[in-house]
Amino acid sequence: MICQNCKSVEFYTLANDYIKCKKCAKKFSLKKIEKDILIIQKFCENKTAFEISNELKLNYKTVKDRFDLLRQKIAVYSEDIYNSLIKDNTEYEEFYYLKEREKVKKKKSLSEAINIIGFYSNQKVYTLLMPKIGNRAFDVEDGFIQYLSWYKIHSQNAHQTKLNRFWKFLEKNLKKHKGVDEDNFFYYLKEYEFKFNYKKSEQLEILKSLSFL
């Protein structure tokens, strides 16, 4: 563990299930640390906050708050990694995410879609949120397909790439949440970008380091 206050790694063990940093004297609850590690492990197993709150007999809001914090840390981590790398964006593709209620409509509207552009670089997928299409969209039955055929940005053979696999992975996992608020969509996008790019064991080690555990 690393002290969240001063980044020291040296602690005293106290008698009441607490540890104390030797450098700054800040105390930490071992029970809380153990609970946080369990939540991170379950997060890496791709379980929802609701599932974990039931499984671990924890308050849903406690788990949800931890999840929100993990997603924020993941977003910063992923952006930092992408910005620090030499880019090799030989594969790229624009993707329009439609909410489930919009997908079932016969008359689909691209103005309701969330516009994402993905890159496959250095054997990892990276994503950027783009401005919404807005009134440029064709809101007629055949217009949705026409628009994608005419204007969608994609590299050659995009349907055979890692990006195509990622879009399917993203849609499959977003379904579990029964709707994601658009204001928070970025953080869920980054969560699944992270989970697609790293094995569970790698996810766990990265998140423990980001949480100073």
Side-chain angles (χ1 to χ4, degrees):
M1 180 179 166
I2 302 173
C3 177
Q4 298 178 27
N5 188 49
C6 70
K7 309 299 186 291
S8 173
V9 295
E10 296 186 356
F11 297 88
Y12 297 108
T13 301
L14 305 180
N16 55 353
D17 281 331
Y18 274 74
I19 55 175
K20 184 171 74 171
C21 177
K22 289 185 177 181
K23 184 176 180 181
C24 69
K26 185 174 176 64
K27 295 180 181 179
F28 298 92
S29 166
L30 290 174
K31 287 184 179 179
K32 182 181 180 299
I33 293 169
E34 183 181 358
K35 180 174 67 177
D36 285 345
I37 291 174
L38 276 173
I39 291 174
I40 291 173
Q41 287 173 338
K42 299 298 181 183
F43 180 86
C44 294
E45 290 172 10
N46 214 18
K47 295 190 176 182
T48 65
F50 182 75
E51 289 172 332
I52 294 172
S53 65
N54 286 334
E55 188 174 329
L56 300 180
K57 302 294 187 285
L58 295 173
N59 180 275
Y60 170 76
K61 187 177 185 306
T62 298
V63 180
K64 177 66 165 56
D65 288 347
R66 296 288 199 287
F67 269 35
D68 289 343
L69 185 58
L70 288 173
R71 290 184 180 111
Q72 290 169 19
K73 289 179 181 292
I74 284 170
V76 173
Y77 176 82
S78 298
E79 295 288 290
D80 287 346
I81 291 292
Y82 179 70
N83 290 329
S84 67
L85 292 176
I86 297 173
K87 309 299 186 295
D88 178 24
N89 299 323
T90 52
E91 295 178 16
Y92 53 89
E93 185 177 16
E94 196 171 11
F95 179 76
Y96 298 97
Y97 174 75
L98 286 168
K99 295 177 181 178
E100 292 303 311
R101 67 172 181 270
E102 191 66 28
K103 287 179 186 176
V104 299
K105 291 181 182 178
K106 186 175 182 181
K107 181 181 175 182
K108 297 180 178 65
S109 171
L110 269 177
S111 60
E112 296 297 320
I114 296 174
N115 189 8
I116 310 165
I117 188 163
F119 302 94
Y120 185 66
S121 180
N122 300 292
Q123 298 185 323
K124 296 284 189 297
V125 166
Y126 300 96
T127 57
L128 295 172
L129 279 182
M130 304 296 286
K132 277 197 162 187
I133 301 284
N135 294 330
R136 291 182 293 142
F138 293 96
D139 290 339
V140 294
E141 184 178 345
D142 296 327
F144 183 80
I145 303 301
Q146 290 174 358
Y147 187 92
L148 294 183
S149 299
W150 295 341
Y151 296 108
K152 187 177 180 183
I153 302 170
H154 58 84
S155 60
Q156 190 176 10
N157 299 321
H159 64 285
Q160 300 172 351
T161 66
K162 285 273 191 180
L163 281 169
N164 184 263
R165 285 176 53 200
F166 172 69
W167 303 134
K168 292 176 181 177
F169 176 81
L170 177 67
E171 288 195 302
K172 177 183 176 181
N173 282 283
L174 287 174
K175 282 181 183 178
K176 298 189 305 183
H177 298 284
K178 311 298 182 185
V180 174
D181 188 286
E182 228 171 282
D183 291 338
N184 295 319
F185 184 86
F186 170 77
Y187 296 104
Y188 285 84
L189 173 64
K190 287 298 172 180
E191 173 189 347
Y192 291 114
E193 174 188 307
F194 177 77
K195 287 179 175 177
F196 185 83
N197 284 335
Y198 298 97
K199 298 175 183 177
K200 288 179 185 177
S201 58
E202 294 173 323
Q203 294 172 32
L204 181 59
E205 291 308 310
I206 293 169
L207 291 178
K208 283 168 67 177
S209 69
L210 294 178
S211 303
F212 306 110
L213 297 173

